[in-house]
Each structure stands twice: as structure tokens, then as C-alpha cells.
Amino acid sequence: MSNSGQTVIHPADTAVSFKNVTKVFSQKQPPASFADFLKPKHLTINALDDVSFTLEQGELVAYAGPNGAGKSTTIKLLGGMLAQTGGEISVLGMSPLKNRIPLMRKLGVLFGNRTELWWDHPVSSSFRWKQRVWDIPKKDFEEMQALVLDLLDIRPFFKTFARELSLGQRMRADLAMMLLHRPSLILLDEPTLGLDVLAKRQMIGFLKTLNQNEGTTIIVTSHDMDDLEEMTKRILLISNGKIAFDGSFASLRDELGCTRRAIITFKDDSRKEIAYNDTAKLLEELSGMPNIADISFSQTSLEEGLANLFAKWRSTK
């Protein structure tokens, strides 16, 4: 798509295409003098700067970076909530701006700090409202509703008012409601924000099942790297509006120097520590060691490595 909003045709197996995308915001500054009242000053913010990437149909991809890096801006551009300043965007073969209504019928968007549920009505009422407004065929609606009620364990609070739900229940209900029209692509911005351990496990397990069984393409942002690593294989890191890394978590760990170690305890209580990157070579080495009593493993925290990386990026901004 060009700036005129024309649709760009991409291969059928491409779910998302960003090509040299920029997004510039002009932010009005507080007046520092009387002259500023007459002629306000503005700060130019390059939220996205020449960003390019492609996602194939059926991928489950993590999109991460420090605060203000451009994650939410990207999600809003994909959903047609913002217009890019330059570059081309294609989502499911359509322009998010030119084809917003037909695209929304194939797209699901969930922000962890917002809800689509009717606050003073039962969850079931919000579901029926969506079926009416979106004109979802009754058979399709009932099939998908039954699926999400079971897989997300919503039946116990399906008749409960939204305002009475816990955060974990509300998040699961919002996710379920977002899926009622069977979107081909879902965009999740901090879906595990504020959830307890059990609620996170339910959310992550469901998303993985949805991706594997339905072939749904999923893009998820989060500050919790453990959650992202459990959910996805590919991660895109964005910093200062640019893609700084695109690859596997294993490659990211290697790049960050997140060392993996095996601690071997022998029957005589002696110990040996081995740093390794290749698991096959480690197993080969272990096979030649007699009298092994126990093996434990440790590695440098991914969170720690990324915190150092983000701090470095911020200092070079």
C-alpha cells in the first residue's frame, strides 16, 4: 500500500507485510514563555523509523522492546487505528486503511488494559451483543461460543456481571469475545498484564492451542519475556522505532551471551560445571562420564540480558 491507501497484493501465505514503514507524531510542548502561547512549539517523535518485516500465515510471533519503543504503535497501525506517515502495510492481503471494515471481520485485537465487555451486564449479554452487531451466523456463533467457554473455562462466570469479575476472569472473557467471529489474525497487546500464575498458564495454553489447532496467526507483545518464550519461537525486538532483532529465542540468548551451564554431581559428591551451547555435544560428553549421580542446569536470565540491552539502547538514543 502506498500513502494513497491503495491495496498491495502479497502472496497468499503472507499474513502481515511491513515495508519501510514510518510513523511520526507531532507532540505539542508546554509553553515556556509568552511567545510560546502565540506560537506553540512541537516535538517531533519518530515512533517507527523505516520498519520492515513479514509474518507468514500460522505464525505465533513475539513483538517486544522497552517502553516507548513502538510496540503499541505497530499494533494500532495493523488494526487501522492509526495511519502510517510513510511506507506500505498489508494485513491479510488488505490495506488497514482502505479496507478497514472487511479487514476487521478477519482481525481480532485485544489490549490488556481495556475491555469490550458491558460493565453492568453479564458476560453472556456482551457475547450476544457481538453476535448481533457483527451479524455472525447463529450456527458459527454457537460453535465458537461453546469452544471458548470450555477452553477458557468461562462457564462458571458466564452469567456474572463484568464489573464483578476478577482481572483474570475479565481477560479470559475479553479474549473469548474477541474470538467469536473466528479471526484469522489476532493482535494481543500485553494479554497477561496483571494476571496471576494460574491465569497466565490458562491464557498461554489457550493461545498455543488456538495457533496449533486453528492455524490462527498471532502477534503478541509483552514485557514478560518468560511468557513470550513459552508461547512463541520467533521474536522481533524493536528499539527507538527500529527492528533491532528478528529471530529465535535461542539465537537471542546466544547474542545476549546468556550462558547455559550443566552442573554434574558424581557419586563421590564431587562436582563439575560445563558451559555449553550445543545440547547434542553436551549429551555426548556426558555419555563418557562414569558415576554420575545428578545433573542440574542453569542459565543467565533472559530478562537480565535484555534489561542490560535495553539500557544500552536507551543510552544511545
Side-chain angles (χ1 to χ4, degrees):
M1 189 198 75
S2 66
N3 290 340
S4 62
Q6 295 178 338
T7 301
V8 174
I9 303 301
H10 288 275
D13 57 353
T14 299
V16 172
S17 174
F18 256 47
K19 186 177 180 181
N20 306 117
V21 175
T22 61
K23 178 59 183 177
V24 178
F25 293 100
S26 181
Q27 189 178 78
K28 188 176 180 180
Q29 299 299 291
S33 65
F34 180 74
D36 291 343
F37 282 100
L38 302 177
K39 190 176 181 180
K41 293 180 179 178
H42 290 78
L43 176 66
T44 298
I45 300 174
N46 295 311
L48 294 181
D49 185 4
D50 196 31
V51 170
S52 297
F53 64 85
T54 300
L55 272 59
E56 302 305 314
Q57 297 272 11
E59 280 198 86
L60 202 172
V61 179
Y63 195 65
N67 288 331
K71 300 186 300 296
S72 294
T73 297
T74 301
I75 296 295
K76 290 175 182 177
L77 287 170
L78 289 170
M81 290 169 269
L82 290 175
Q84 70 269 30
T85 306
E88 301 174 352
I89 302 176
S90 174
V91 181
L92 300 175
M94 292 179 276
S95 158
L97 298 178
K98 188 76 172 180
N99 312 114
R100 187 178 183 192
I101 292 177
L103 176 59
M104 289 307 295
R105 292 197 168 275
K106 295 186 176 184
L107 191 68
V109 184
L110 178 65
F111 290 91
N113 57 353
R114 299 178 190 174
T115 183
E116 294 291 324
L117 299 170
W118 287 12
W119 205 238
D120 291 312
H121 291 266
V123 173
S124 56
S125 295
S126 295
F127 281 32
R128 288 196 301 272
W129 169 83
K130 179 165 183 177
Q131 192 229 340
R132 290 283 187 89
V133 171
W134 286 67
D135 195 24
I136 303 172
K138 184 178 179 181
K139 182 181 178 181
D140 293 345
F141 171 76
E142 290 177 348
E143 286 180 356
M144 196 60 184
Q145 178 175 265
L147 177 66
V148 296
L149 288 181
D150 289 335
L151 290 181
L152 285 167
D153 194 24
I154 289 172
R155 292 189 188 277
F157 55 86
F158 191 46
K159 300 294 184 179
T160 303
F161 281 41
R163 56 180 162 79
E164 297 175 352
L165 301 178
S166 69
L167 177 59
Q169 290 172 331
R170 195 265 293 169
M171 288 292 294
R172 280 158 35 216
D174 265 313
L175 177 60
M177 184 172 168
M178 183 264 288
L179 294 169
L180 290 174
H181 64 291
R182 286 187 182 271
S184 301
L185 168 67
I186 62 176
L187 312 173
L188 305 173
D189 193 17
E190 298 286 354
T192 60
L193 184 68
L195 300 186
D196 61 30
V197 174
L198 178 59
K200 278 188 180 185
R201 297 279 71 74
Q202 290 174 316
M203 180 74 77
I204 291 171
F206 177 78
L207 292 174
K208 291 168 70 175
T209 299
L210 183 70
N211 172 254
Q212 293 166 4
N213 294 354
E214 298 285 327
T216 307
T217 307
I218 301 174
I219 303 173
V220 55
T221 78
S222 177
H223 285 95
D224 193 320
M225 298 305 297
D226 290 336
D227 288 352
L228 291 179
E229 188 170 14
E230 183 177 346
M231 273 188 281
T232 70
K233 294 180 180 178
R234 178 184 174 191
I235 178 170
L236 284 81
L237 285 180
I238 185 168
S239 170
N240 301 334
K242 292 179 176 289
I243 298 295
F245 178 87
D246 181 358
S248 68
F249 275 88
S251 297
L252 178 59
R253 285 185 175 278
D254 288 342
E255 188 161 314
L256 292 174
C258 295
T259 307
R260 293 184 288 179
R261 298 182 182 278
I263 298 94
I264 302 98
T265 302
F266 296 95
K267 292 179 180 179
D268 62 0
D269 289 332
S270 63
R271 288 189 175 189
K272 181 177 182 179
E273 188 173 295
I274 302 174
Y276 70 97
N277 289 317
D278 189 321
T279 303
K281 289 184 178 179
L282 172 66
L283 292 175
E284 183 179 346
E285 186 173 352
L286 291 175
S287 66
M289 293 183 182
N291 302 318
I292 293 178
D294 187 36
I295 303 174
S296 60
F297 298 90
S298 68
Q299 59 184 6
T300 306
S301 166
L302 186 60
E303 295 273 2
E304 181 183 345
L306 281 173
N308 294 334
L309 182 62
F310 291 167
K312 179 181 177 182
W313 286 348
R314 191 174 293 114
S315 66
T316 58
K317 185 174 180 180

